Amino acid sequence: MSTPAEQLIDEAIIQKDEAKGLHNLIYVKDLNLYYGKSQALKNIELNVRDKGITVLLGPSGCGKTTLLKTFNRLTDLYPDIRTKGSIYFQGENILDKNIDVYALRQKMGLLSQRPYPLPGTIADNIKYALKVRGITNKTEQADLTEHYLKKAAIWEEVKDRLKQPAGRLSIGQQQRLCLARGLSIEPRVILADEPTSALDPISSGKIEEQLMELRKEYSVVLVTHLLRQAKRLADYVVFMYYGEILEKGRPQVVFNEPKNAIFKEYLEVGH
């Protein structure tokens, strides 16, 4: 748990943001991350909005995915990784050793670069998530399965084959099924790690459309190296380069009036 001093600091930040009319959900303070002796994240300071899409933009290998993984503590899976600093979420420092990581990950839905449907049927994928929430009534499960598949814009494509193996779906459909499964946990945040990188343009467009809808209810953190995608989707942009944040702000400002020379070059090249 956070110490009283840390909680006071966090409350002060929240009050300052609210006075500005901002509603932030995640506060990253002086975050540093190391792979052994190599530093991958350097002095990260970032506030993630409650609702809307925060885009982590930058070239491959710049630390975007590493930063994303700190939000749900997937960095714990790597024994040579160590972190310093704080990440506040719902009033607690989630890097604290006493945090319930399992409960944290239920609040942070993850959409990976490639879809990983669970073994079993299409319906089983949603029912598994519902069981995690303690929902075992079959009628309620059926109603919620339809609800979340609709929320991921895949219901019409699968409603007549819910008992078929999820692995038979196209890769684009699998990605939307994984999105539906993640939403079934009822997260507060959706962590999207280049979710369209393995998809065709039509499937990519469907995922983008759903993220634009979900931004109204969730805080979405999207990792991408595609400048065009960032311009289409971002409510807030964070440009990263070799483990540092070089520029951040609203898209209409940072894209039109960039201050950092490296970011200017990135925009000119048009990745």
Side-chain angles (χ1 to χ4, degrees):
M1 300 292 289
S2 304
T3 67
E6 287 173 331
Q7 289 175 339
L8 286 172
I9 292 169
D10 189 39
E11 285 300 318
I13 294 171
I14 291 172
Q15 290 173 7
K16 186 176 180 181
D17 284 341
E18 289 181 346
K20 296 178 180 178
L22 300 175
H23 299 280
N24 295 309
L25 186 62
I26 300 173
Y27 298 83
V28 183
K29 297 175 59 184
D30 195 24
L31 178 66
N32 293 272
L33 182 143
Y34 303 83
Y35 285 96
K37 295 182 179 180
S38 176
Q39 188 169 5
L41 296 177
K42 305 171 185 177
N43 306 314
I44 301 296
E45 297 276 346
L46 175 65
N47 295 346
V48 177
R49 303 290 187 263
D50 183 10
K51 299 184 178 62
I53 300 176
T54 297
V55 169
L56 304 183
L57 175 67
S60 298
C62 70
K64 306 183 299 295
T65 294
T66 300
L67 177 57
L68 192 79
K69 287 180 177 179
T70 65
F71 293 161
N72 64 356
R73 292 275 297 269
L74 280 182
T75 48
D76 290 7
L77 300 177
Y78 306 90
D80 60 334
I81 284 182
R82 57 190 175 90
T83 56
K84 294 181 179 180
S86 305
I87 302 175
Y88 289 104
F89 173 66
Q90 296 185 329
E92 293 185 305
N93 180 7
I94 63 174
L95 296 184
D96 192 290
K97 293 180 180 179
N98 296 320
I99 284 291
D100 184 340
V101 176
Y102 179 76
L104 171 67
R105 289 174 184 163
Q106 284 186 272
K107 297 174 184 178
M108 301 270 187
L110 178 64
L111 195 61
S112 302
Q113 293 183 17
R114 295 188 62 85
Y116 294 100
L118 298 174
T121 68
I122 295 168
D124 287 341
N125 271 258
I126 308 301
K127 289 178 181 178
Y128 171 81
L130 296 175
K131 288 177 182 177
V132 169
R133 289 172 52 195
I135 299 172
T136 57
N137 180 275
K138 290 186 178 180
T139 301
E140 189 176 4
Q141 284 184 347
D143 290 342
L144 288 173
T145 295
E146 179 179 347
H147 170 73
Y148 289 113
L149 289 172
K150 283 182 175 178
K151 211 165 188 177
I154 191 175
W155 170 252
E156 292 299 326
E157 298 168 47
V158 302
K159 63 182 181 181
D160 297 324
R161 46 181 176 143
L162 295 176
K163 295 183 179 180
Q164 291 185 9
R168 291 184 183 176
L169 295 172
S170 71
I171 190 169
Q173 290 172 325
Q174 288 181 22
Q175 188 68 305
R176 280 180 284 147
L177 175 62
C178 290
L179 175 59
R181 188 182 69 216
L183 295 174
S184 303
I185 299 290
E186 284 295 322
R188 287 288 283 109
V189 181
I190 299 171
L191 304 176
D193 185 12
E194 298 195 53
T196 64
S197 63
L199 306 183
D200 61 83
I202 293 175
S203 296
S204 295
K206 289 181 178 179
I207 289 291
E208 288 189 3
E209 287 174 9
Q210 290 317 112
L211 292 178
M212 293 290 281
E213 283 297 313
L214 294 169
R215 78 205 285 193
K216 301 171 185 176
E217 300 179 52
Y218 302 89
S219 177
V220 180
V221 184
L222 172 68
V223 167
T224 185
H225 64 273
L226 300 174
L227 181 57
R228 286 173 295 177
Q229 185 173 67
K231 288 182 174 180
R232 285 194 298 269
L233 301 182
D235 295 300
Y236 193 80
V237 179
V238 180
F239 177 70
M240 298 186 66
Y241 193 76
Y242 287 107
E244 296 183 81
I245 293 177
L246 298 188
E247 190 133 8
K248 57 187 176 182
R250 297 190 178 279
Q252 59 267 36
V253 176
V254 297
F255 288 139
N256 295 321
E257 301 173 17
K259 297 177 181 178
N260 180 272
I262 295 174
F263 186 42
K264 285 182 181 179
E265 183 178 358
Y266 189 86
L267 295 176
E268 289 170 1
V269 172
H271 286 280

